[in-house]
Amino acid sequence: MSVFPNDFLWGGAIAANQAEGAWNEDGKGPSIADVVRGGIASGKHDAVIDPNLYYASHEAVDFYHHYKEDVALFAEMGFKCFRTSIAWSRIFPRGDETTPNEAGLAFYDNLFDELLKHGIEPVITLSHYETPLALYQEYGGWKNRQLIEFFSRYCETVFRRYNGKVKYWMTFNELNNMNRMPFATGAVDANASAQEIWQANHHQFVANALANKLCHEIIPDALIGCMLSLSTVYPATCNPEDIFSTMQLRRRSLFFSDVMMLGQYPAYAPRLFRELDVELEMADGDLQLLGDYPSDYLGFSYYRSVLHQAGGQFRIDTGGTAGLDNPYLDKTEWGWPIDPQGFRIVCNELADRYRKPLFIVENGYGGVDEADANGEFNDQPRIDYGRRHIQAMAEAIDDGCDIMGYTWWGPIDIVSAGTGEMKKRYGFIYVDKDNDGKGTLKRSKKRSFAWYQQVIASNGEVL
Ligand code: BGP
């Protein structure tokens, strides 16, 4: 008997900027993702687009033109749901317009119709590191309070347009990454001050609450969540200093879900802001809005665990302390520790803290996949990773965690956020494209395709 509920939302997740391509087609304006070359999560970006340079996100894997073929493959695996983002700048090319781009709206109408035709529920991220570039260049990104108005107009437009097609929404992808990736997460410069970053966070907290308000008014049966990036963080030693410092580091992430899930700034905020010399500017009614409209569920990504040591050098790319390795864990080819028990830990941690549904909207194994002599892709490490993490998730459900769904990150190979490359592949479906953009874009099933098909068919029993 499976511990997974009968309506468990098995599926896969991508992001517009890492999959769609067609970066300037049908009226789409550039987003901040379109000016990075080292991957949106790398923090490296150009001020403007150089037409002579190759940007991986500009074509990505051309999901924009291949979506019918790809959705048919997701349906063949038995997906119950599919997470992707709406590219905000397809709908409002600059972000500050009052009239939406009809061609952009029509694309997502067609995509959602294709998904629903196959019985697959869309799960939509409103901004997956995809703030329109003009809002960065001309307004300074989310540190400018005007972005609340622009984002609310975008949300109202898509809620009204896709009412009846989309009932699962989430606002900002991995909002807690404002700490380590302010450009990707809030269109705020990497060298922004703590004041600017936390002011931007406040604007996004208000925008999140307004989106929740609008969503429930326009689509009464919808669920709208917030979304965080959550590795499990272990103290490097049993030294109380390391334990305390690890708790403090954890709070730098859970601060975001505390505000959005519990509807108020946490009690530890005043001291944190005092120590960071941050004084937030708030409008009348902001705090009331946060309290009145908390998120319905907590979506999060989990890939790995990290170690933390008091006073250690914080690693931007992993969120742990540089130089610390966990001797009990194997790693992926990219050095990410493989920790299914850490996955069970974070599920229980969040269930205890929020007592609301959890949705794992990213979990996956990034690796180098090459065809064997028969042209097949034997990605057994991906199957092993998936099996162990789904087993851990089953344990977490048996522990009493209310988990509503699981969308594997990158069910089809897409551009890596951290590297901006194709070489780091997550897919059950291989895409013929290399780091230099060469390839036929041909789709091929890997060994893991049939594995995941069985997982879904058995509702998580056959792993
Ligand atoms: C998360 C992002 C995704 C995805 C994932 C894997 O932070 O939400 O966009 O890319 O990381 O990261 P990478 O592609 O660098 O392996």
Side-chain angles (χ1 to χ4, degrees):
M1 170 70 176
S2 170
V3 294
F4 293 97
N6 288 333
D7 59 355
F8 191 75
L9 291 168
W10 295 101
I14 63 172
N17 77 86
Q18 293 172 254
E20 287 179 2
W23 72 285
N24 59 355
E25 268 189 51
D26 295 338
K28 175 181 173 293
S31 78
I32 57 170
D34 294 321
V35 293
V36 294
R37 278 181 280 132
I40 183 68
S42 68
K44 297 192 289 283
H45 63 277
D46 300 321
V48 292
I49 291 164
D50 179 337
N52 303 311
L53 292 180
Y54 168 70
Y55 295 83
S57 73
H58 288 193
E59 181 190 57
V61 293
D62 198 31
F63 180 71
Y64 190 80
H65 299 105
H66 286 75
Y67 71 90
K68 291 190 176 180
E69 171 191 359
D70 296 341
V71 168
L73 287 167
F74 301 152
E76 193 179 334
M77 279 190 272
F79 280 21
K80 310 295 184 193
C81 75
F82 175 65
R83 176 194 178 212
T84 189
S85 57
I86 292 175
W88 181 353
S89 60
R90 269 198 208 289
I91 313 302
F92 290 99
R94 289 174 38 85
D96 61 1
E97 302 91 337
T98 53
T99 306
N101 170 35
E102 175 52 34
L105 288 167
F107 168 69
Y108 292 106
D109 258 326
N110 296 335
L111 172 59
F112 301 154
D113 290 346
E114 196 68 22
L115 287 165
L116 293 168
K117 188 174 86 176
H118 289 282
I120 300 174
E121 290 287 351
V123 177
I124 300 307
T125 312
L126 287 155
S127 185
H128 195 124
Y129 300 146
E130 295 159 350
T131 304
L133 186 61
L135 296 186
Y136 164 68
Q137 291 173 328
E138 298 174 33
Y139 293 84
W142 275 97
K143 65 178 189 283
N144 185 327
R145 189 176 174 94
Q146 282 185 271
L147 266 71
I148 296 174
E149 174 200 348
F150 301 147
F151 184 74
S152 298
R153 181 178 302 129
Y154 158 56
C155 290
E156 181 166 1
T157 301
V158 296
F159 291 153
R160 292 198 186 288
R161 178 73 173 233
Y162 305 121
N163 185 3
K165 293 183 180 180
V166 180
K167 59 184 177 191
Y168 297 102
W169 297 89
M170 70 195 84
T171 50
F172 302 103
N173 182 67
E174 300 187 326
L175 190 56
N176 58 308
N177 275 342
M178 276 295 279
N179 290 323
R180 57 194 185 99
M181 298 169 1
F183 178 70
T185 318
V188 175
D189 277 320
N191 60 2
S193 66
Q195 174 66 35
E196 289 174 317
I197 288 175
W198 283 100
Q199 189 65 51
N201 286 336
H202 178 70
H203 295 154
Q204 286 176 274
F205 290 146
V206 171
N208 176 76
L210 273 174
N212 297 345
K213 176 177 184 292
L214 286 165
C215 188
H216 292 142
E217 287 170 353
I218 297 166
I219 315 176
D221 66 338
L223 290 177
I224 181 165
C226 59
M227 196 274 183
L228 268 58
S229 163
L230 288 173
S231 304
T232 308
V233 188
Y234 303 130
T237 72
C238 55
N239 179 336
E241 288 306 314
D242 285 343
I243 310 283
F244 180 75
S245 182
T246 301
M247 180 195 77
Q248 294 289 71
L249 178 68
R250 195 60 175 164
R251 279 176 160 180
R252 294 295 288 270
S253 270
L254 297 182
F255 188 110
F256 292 77
S257 37
D258 284 350
V259 173
M260 295 188 284
M261 294 292 287
L262 303 177
Q264 58 184 12
Y265 275 89
Y268 57 85
R271 179 166 186 170
L272 173 68
F273 289 153
R274 192 173 70 241
E275 291 171 351
L276 292 173
D277 195 19
V278 167
E279 276 190 48
L280 291 184
E281 289 171 28
M282 295 189 191
D284 291 345
D286 279 1
L287 294 179
Q288 186 65 45
L289 206 59
L290 297 184
D292 290 346
Y293 301 100
S295 299
D296 298 324
Y297 67 84
L298 175 51
F300 66 100
S301 59
Y302 175 85
Y303 292 93
R304 61 195 164 188
S305 60
V306 294
L307 294 182
H308 173 74
Q309 187 153 36
Q313 189 213 335
F314 181 75
R315 277 189 59 170
I316 291 285
D317 62 334
T318 64
T321 298
L324 294 184
D325 266 354
N326 190 325
Y328 299 98
L329 300 176
D330 295 329
K331 296 189 185 71
T332 68
E333 296 153 275
W334 261 264
W336 288 17
I338 299 171
D339 186 0
Q341 190 70 334
F343 187 27
R344 181 179 174 186
I345 290 167
V346 70
C347 289
N348 278 280
E349 174 191 27
L350 298 174
D352 290 350
R353 194 172 183 117
Y354 301 114
R355 298 182 189 164
K356 275 186 169 178
L358 306 176
F359 198 159
I360 292 104
V361 292
E362 291 182 28
N363 175 244
Y365 178 93
V368 177
D369 298 326
E370 282 157 352
D372 63 17
N374 304 319
E376 293 176 1
F377 298 93
N378 174 10
D379 55 341
Q380 191 58 41
R382 178 164 297 111
I383 294 172
D384 295 341
Y385 179 99
R387 172 180 301 118
R388 295 175 64 200
H389 284 76
I390 291 172
Q391 283 168 337
M393 184 167 56
E395 291 293 346
I397 290 174
D398 202 20
D399 294 335
C401 300
D402 176 4
I403 300 176
M404 57 194 276
Y406 174 87
T407 53
W408 174 272
W409 176 256
I412 182 170
D413 291 346
I414 55 180
V415 174
S416 160
T419 63
E421 295 182 339
M422 282 300 298
K423 187 178 171 197
K424 187 176 188 186
R425 297 172 184 273
Y426 282 86
F428 304 127
I429 300 160
Y430 184 88
V431 176
D432 176 26
K433 180 172 180 182
D434 65 20
N435 281 352
D436 302 321
K438 296 187 186 63
T440 63
L441 292 173
K442 177 174 178 285
R443 275 74 167 144
S444 311
K445 297 173 186 174
K446 302 178 193 174
R447 170 179 284 193
S448 54
F449 185 101
W451 167 77
Y452 198 51
Q453 193 175 39
Q454 259 302 328
V455 169
I456 297 176
S458 65
N459 196 26
E461 277 205 283
V462 176
L463 296 176

